Amino acid sequence: MSPNKLPYFEKVQSHAQKEFLKAHNNCVLCGAALELLHVRLDQELQILEEAHCPDCDRKARDRKYTLN
C-alpha cells in the first residue's frame, strides 16, 4: 500500500486525522502498512494487540486492552 493511501476509515477529512492514522497504521521506518494481530487473553480478561511491519520485519507495538 502506498504511504499516501490509507485504509478505509469513516469520515477521515482533516489533515490531523490523516496524520494520526498514518502514524498508527504505518511503519515509521519504511511507511508500509502494519499488520495487526489480536489475541484474547481469557484468564487476564484482556486483548493483546501486536503490530509489526511485514516489509522490514520490525515490531511496532504491543498493547493490552482490558475487557469490561
Side-chain angles (χ1 to χ4, degrees), residues 29-64:
L29 295 177
C30 70
L34 295 174
E35 291 183 354
L36 300 176
L37 171 69
H38 296 94
V39 177
R40 192 170 86 190
L41 305 172
D42 288 329
Q43 293 205 319
E44 298 174 34
L45 295 175
Q46 294 179 327
I47 300 290
L48 172 64
E49 176 188 74
E50 296 179 349
H52 80 278
C53 176
D55 289 355
C56 58
D57 201 29
R58 179 180 180 273
K59 185 191 288 187
R61 68 177 173 265
D62 284 343
R63 289 197 181 134
K64 287 185 179 178

